[in-house]
Amino acid sequence: MEISAKHQMVLTIANALNHPVRLEILDLLQTNPATVAVLTEKFGDDVPAHLNVLKSAGLLLGDVDGDMPVSLSPFGIYGAGKIMDEMLMVTHEDGGCGGCKGCSEKN
């Protein structure tokens, strides 16, 4: 089965958000950029791998292998949210779930 580019992007974003350390990194970066060294000190030696996953999903800006700070990608975060919202609206277009934004607006 061939998957559409839109659904591949959803899977990439979902994978990026599917780890507690990556969620903590995103949360920390909401307030300030941070270097890989600082993030590694706080979250452990797997940070570079987590940063690569987040960057591949378009959620980070900066050199995840260098000494310069990394930061959230405002466009990436906005785009990820928009894609996920669209998927929820398509999935729940009948309005039956009552919990997502799309269904709440229909009711």
Side-chain angles (χ1 to χ4, degrees), residues 32-71:
N32 288 307
T35 63
V36 176
V38 167
L39 294 170
T40 299
E41 185 176 307
K42 183 162 181 68
F43 299 112
D45 292 334
D46 291 340
V47 161
H50 290 304
L51 294 177
N52 279 316
V53 171
L54 292 168
K55 184 152 186 180
S56 293
L59 303 176
L60 293 183
L61 297 173
D63 182 7
V64 298
D65 298 318
D67 295 330
M68 299 298 292
V70 295
S71 61

